[in-house]
Amino acid sequence: MNLPLNGIKIIDFTHVQAGPACTQLLAWFGADVIKVERPGSGDVTRTQLRDIPDVDALYFTMLNSNKRSLTLDTKKPEGKKILEQLIRESDVLVENFGPGALDRMGFSWERINELNPKMIVASVKGFSDGHHYEDLKVYENVAQCAGGAASTTGFWDGPPTVSAAALGDSNTGMHLAIGILTALIGRDKTGKGQKVAVSMQDAVLNLCRVKLRDQQRLDRLGFLEEYPQYPHGSFSDVVPRGGNAGGGGQPGWVLKCKGWETDPNAYIYFTIQGHAWEPICKALGKPEWIDDPNYSTAKARQPHIFDIFKTIEDWLADKTKYEAVDILRKFDIPCSPVLSMKEIAADPSLRASGSITEVPHKERGTYLTVGSPIKFSDLKPAITGSPLLGEHSDEVLAGLGYGPDDIKRLRESQVI
Ligand code: COA
């Protein structure tokens, strides 16, 4: 298949999650992604959280599909020489090493730009250049705390809470992918490469935009009408944690359904969309609420919104989450069952769309992964298994002009 990014060669100097998520996405869309890994060990996720002894962990396989793997010790002179050759003939280098690691290796932006002025160098760091924390190494939850997500997530009587969603890692990788594609389009116009950087803090903050909105509203008004603290509780001068509140202009909450006593996910999310009040009343069998002045406007409902949610829970008590959603969808009410990972893994619609997909792997057999969440009319990415450590070293080096004897020698001297 002729894919949009065919012909784009990427040196994938990434590890763990943020960088690999970015380059995996670009590989799905046709880029030739060569993952450069340390000989002997490779990306640390190959061995982290293993479920099968001596087989690449799912942590690795689910973030590195459609790539090639080249082992290369880029601190050894011959390794550096090979990397230089690769840089000369590639389009993009992506890295998410700790601060300064690439410079210490001898591959500063200036040096790379000298080797190949068309090269795009894309980096993930915890904090942006010049930030007072720019020297910090960062993992997912550190970024969620630094980007405003943790202070605004959870319940008001509990501590700051991190999300299970990889807001710091994969989210930053997705931002970086947008940056790389933009730089590639820019290069078509100028003929020049450039440096693209996304910090994990910034990527989290970008998703917490609405909370900065709320801080400014709180500064001006002293309250936030859509938060559970309004109107009976109190506000301090910082955006509080709002539990499961809607967060936008639509009140919502996680509500219990039949079986919640034993099933931790027997819940739905229910949204009270302002203009959908009439269908909500009809769905709940409460036609008397439609014109009742205590219920008919969002402002009138807010003081007793939790009583309303309680009434909805009473209605839900004899319905499973699926039955409830099947009724509510007929009334155009925005809602969803709370789905467990087990349910998602088996979901026929997600399987049919390729959002959940099975991929063959040389050593582990078939594994389940998340496919492309981006759907195109003319492109359905074929997800292939992740590479074994160094699986493509010979092939890549042969492409650079190394013969079998050179490769043997490089292997013996642990350069590859
Ligand atoms: N050959 C030789 N050396 C290599 C190599 C290779 N193929 N690949 C990596 N290395 C070296 C690096 O040059 C670095 O050496 P140095 O510190 O002596 O200069 C060393 O390996 C360690 O790299 P580092 O990235 O600092 O690893 P770490 O395990 O100490 O830290 C992170 C891991 C994720 C905390 C850190 O990389 C980081 O903060 N990255 C930026 C933010 C980020 O992406 N976080 C994780 C998101 S999932």
Side-chain angles (χ1 to χ4, degrees):
M1 197 198 232
N2 191 14
L3 296 166
L5 298 187
N6 281 165
I8 301 292
K9 194 163 175 176
I10 299 182
I11 302 172
D12 181 14
F13 229 166
T14 70
H15 63 160
V16 202
Q17 185 175 167
C22 166
T23 47
Q24 174 173 256
L25 189 91
L26 301 173
W28 289 340
F29 303 155
D32 177 13
V33 175
I34 302 171
K35 182 153 177 122
V36 178
E37 299 181 80
R38 219 194 301 236
S41 52
D43 188 328
V44 68
T45 59
R46 285 187 185 269
T47 53
Q48 272 180 350
L49 313 175
R50 272 184 172 163
D51 57 322
I52 306 176
D54 303 326
V55 171
D56 285 338
L58 287 163
Y59 199 1
F60 178 85
T61 64
M62 292 179 73
L63 285 156
N64 291 285
S65 60
N66 296 55
K67 302 181 184 178
R68 299 197 282 165
S69 168
L70 162 72
T71 47
L72 195 63
D73 187 332
T74 52
K75 286 192 173 162
K76 292 194 166 135
E78 277 194 295
K80 285 187 203 291
K81 194 176 137 222
I82 292 167
L83 184 60
E84 282 181 10
Q85 281 175 277
L86 274 175
I87 289 172
R88 282 202 179 88
E89 61 168 53
S90 298
D91 301 280
V92 187
L93 182 149
V94 191
E95 64 93 19
N96 68 321
F97 292 128
L102 202 59
D103 291 3
R104 288 196 291 279
M105 213 184 267
F107 292 92
S108 63
W109 158 244
E110 291 73 21
R111 174 71 185 132
I112 295 173
N113 196 238
E114 190 180 281
L115 290 167
N116 179 357
K118 293 183 82 176
M119 186 82 167
I120 290 155
V121 177
S123 300
V124 167
K125 295 286 166 272
F127 295 88
S128 57
D129 275 354
H131 190 286
H132 55 276
Y133 287 151
E134 70 173 352
D135 56 327
L136 273 174
K137 290 186 173 183
V138 168
Y139 283 107
E140 172 69 55
N141 293 342
V142 177
Q144 290 199 27
C145 290
S151 70
T152 52
T153 302
F155 281 80
W156 45 91
D157 52 357
T161 304
V162 295
S163 166
L167 307 178
D169 284 343
S170 280
N171 169 45
T172 308
M174 299 304 105
H175 278 80
L176 192 69
I178 296 168
I180 291 169
L181 295 173
T182 305
L184 281 168
I185 293 170
R187 190 181 72 169
D188 284 346
K189 297 187 174 133
T190 64
K192 289 198 296 192
Q194 61 179 309
K195 201 173 157 188
V196 183
V198 183
S199 85
M200 295 168 74
Q201 182 190 37
D202 289 351
V204 173
L205 174 60
N206 193 28
L207 298 195
C208 291
R209 184 173 292 265
V210 295
K211 297 297 173 183
L212 188 58
R213 171 201 69 190
D214 293 348
Q215 185 60 52
Q216 295 173 83
R217 291 169 57 226
L218 183 66
D219 291 344
R220 191 178 303 276
L221 302 170
F223 64 90
L224 295 164
E225 66 202 46
E226 75 281 23
Y227 280 62
Q229 290 81 349
Y230 179 85
H232 307 299
S234 57
F235 288 88
S236 73
D237 61 351
V238 299
V239 174
R241 292 185 270 287
N244 287 316
Q250 330 292 341
W253 204 254
V254 169
L255 301 179
K256 292 169 185 156
C257 295
K258 185 175 157 189
W260 67 270
E261 298 88 342
T262 50
D263 176 355
N265 296 304
Y267 292 82
I268 61 167
Y269 198 88
F270 190 102
T271 313
I272 302 185
Q273 217 185 357
H275 63 266
W277 182 241
E278 187 172 330
I280 289 172
C281 298
K282 287 183 178 161
L284 300 176
K286 288 273 179 195
E288 66 277 18
W289 278 0
I290 296 174
D291 297 316
D292 184 330
N294 279 324
Y295 291 89
S296 55
T297 65
K299 198 172 170 122
R301 290 191 290 273
Q302 194 58 33
H304 56 113
I305 196 82
F306 280 94
D307 294 335
I308 295 174
F309 288 140
K310 176 72 184 69
T311 306
I312 303 172
E313 277 191 337
D314 292 344
W315 179 82
L316 290 166
D318 63 350
K319 297 167 189 70
T320 68
K321 60 186 177 184
Y322 296 111
E323 289 165 351
V325 169
D326 275 343
I327 296 170
L328 298 171
R329 66 199 290 199
K330 296 196 181 84
F331 292 86
D332 237 3
I333 296 167
C335 62
S336 169
V338 171
L339 296 176
S340 68
M341 273 300 147
K342 194 177 172 84
E343 288 165 323
I344 284 173
D347 188 305
S349 294
L350 292 174
R351 295 274 183 143
S353 71
S355 294
I356 294 282
T357 184
E358 283 182 12
V359 184
H361 183 269
K362 291 190 180 62
E363 290 180 343
R364 78 166 28 249
T366 301
Y367 67 94
L368 207 57
T369 194
V370 182
S372 173
I374 306 171
K375 313 294 182 195
F376 301 88
S377 59
D378 284 345
L379 156 67
K380 188 161 181 185
I383 314 289
T384 61
S386 62
L388 302 177
L389 180 61
E391 183 177 340
H392 304 95
S393 295
D394 293 25
E395 179 182 299
V396 173
L397 290 171
L400 293 175
Y402 289 82
D405 290 342
D406 299 324
I407 296 173
K408 188 163 173 273
R409 185 183 48 74
L410 289 167
R411 189 160 278 123
E412 280 164 5
S413 52
Q414 294 175 353
V415 174
I416 63 168

